[in-house]
Amino acid sequence: MQAMILERQREPLRPAELPEPVVGPGQVLISVHACGVCRTDLHIVDGELGEPKLPLVMGHQIVGTVVGRGEGAERFAEGRRVGVPWLGWTCGECRYCTSGRENLCDRARFTGYDLDGGYAELAVADERFCFPIPEGYSDEQAAPLLCAGLIGYRALRLVGDAERIGLYGFGASAHILCQVAAHQGRRVFAFTKPGDEKGQAFARQLGAEWAGGSDEAPPEEIDGAVVFAPVGSLMTTALRATAKGARIMSAGIHMSDVPSFPYEQLWGERALGSVANLTRQDGEEFMALAPRIPVRIEVEVRPLAEANEALASIRTGALKGAAVLAVGRATS
Ligand SMILES: [Zn+2]
Ligand SMILES: [Zn+2]
């Protein structure tokens, strides 16, 4: 099968012809139709996340159909459309797994990092960690739901019931979360790179009440924020914009250092935190919620062979919505 593989960190992916993956017990073999490209993939390539499986097939927002089943795999019939997220396996035994926090499992394995992912024509996945894909989304539109949507949704929940919410960094995840937050009746304040007027107009189209540069102060205090951009200073920028009781969550897996700040800025029951990974429950909830809103997904689709170009578009931010690779026989 054709794949784009990472052989060494800090080098571009290269095309490769790989043997078909062998489906193990409890796993499904998936014909990949589309795979979302995430900023985490960029952190893996750049070496900001250490010790990936190498060589590695990246990609943790996989949409495809089941074409084979390993021993004991019965959850999805052949031909069924499924999604594979970042959380690929958990131990089920550690103190996190047994307390409803499998996202923090000590021995978790992640798709497209510890396990081969979806930048390939075929993928295998543990059926317990796959999700059914809501109808009404094409394969390419559904792919970003699996990380950009899901982990953003978890971050939004951890912010609590903030009425005025700031979204810092308006990429794949924020463009989904903006719609979810507006649907929940929250007032959204979107922060883009300074001067990104196209991004700001896009945010307003998706329900943001106000959009401006991250160097601007919002027109009023915010009650909570999610920081999507991997820029530590945005945590303190957001903090200075908040009202008492606000929570500020970083939704990314890697971020530059957070600068120090006077304690009085944190005083007033403000909190800074992070969101790590997802639980299967997050996935089930979000996959049910997205079509009810309905969340509209804006994608820039490229063929699998252009995975490096798709990664570059995330790096430069020259992207409206989410980057997705079309693999095999995608719909759309
Ligand atoms: Zn565990
Ligand atoms: Zn991701």
Side-chain angles (χ1 to χ4, degrees), residues 211-242:
S214 57
D215 57 341
E216 293 175 51
E220 54 187 286
E221 288 180 328
I222 52 178
D223 304 305
V226 183
V227 177
F228 295 103
V231 181
S233 62
L234 288 177
M235 295 294 280
T236 47
T237 300
L239 184 61
R240 285 192 297 271
T242 57

Side-chain angles (χ1 to χ4, degrees), residues 216-331:
E216 293 175 51
E220 54 187 286
E221 288 180 328
I222 52 178
D223 304 305
V226 183
V227 177
F228 295 103
V231 181
S233 62
L234 288 177
M235 295 294 280
T236 47
T237 300
L239 184 61
R240 285 192 297 271
T242 57
K244 285 178 283 191
R247 291 170 181 218
I248 298 167
M249 289 292 144
S250 162
I253 195 168
H254 171 84
M255 185 177 249
S256 56
D257 287 355
V258 178
S260 69
F261 55 88
Y263 176 66
E264 63 175 295
Q265 292 180 1
L266 190 62
W267 173 248
E269 298 196 342
R270 294 173 176 89
L272 299 181
S274 68
V275 171
N277 315 317
L278 65 134
T279 65
R280 282 172 278 180
Q281 194 185 336
D282 294 329
E284 273 145 36
E285 280 177 30
F286 183 68
M287 287 301 181
L289 176 66
R292 284 206 310 267
I293 292 178
V295 173
R296 192 162 63 81
I297 311 288
E298 190 89 27
V299 287
E300 280 191 22
V301 182
R302 292 170 184 274
L304 175 61
E306 291 179 18
N308 288 310
E309 289 79 358
L311 287 165
S313 72
I314 294 179
R315 188 189 300 284
T316 60
L319 187 69
K320 191 177 167 194
V324 175
L325 299 175
V327 189
R329 29 187 193 108
T331 61

Side-chain angles (χ1 to χ4, degrees), residues 90-98 102 104-108:
T90 55
C91 77
E93 293 168 355
C94 70
R95 57 199 298 269
Y96 300 106
C97 282
T98 53
E102 65 179 357
L104 302 177
C105 174
D106 283 329
R107 288 189 283 155

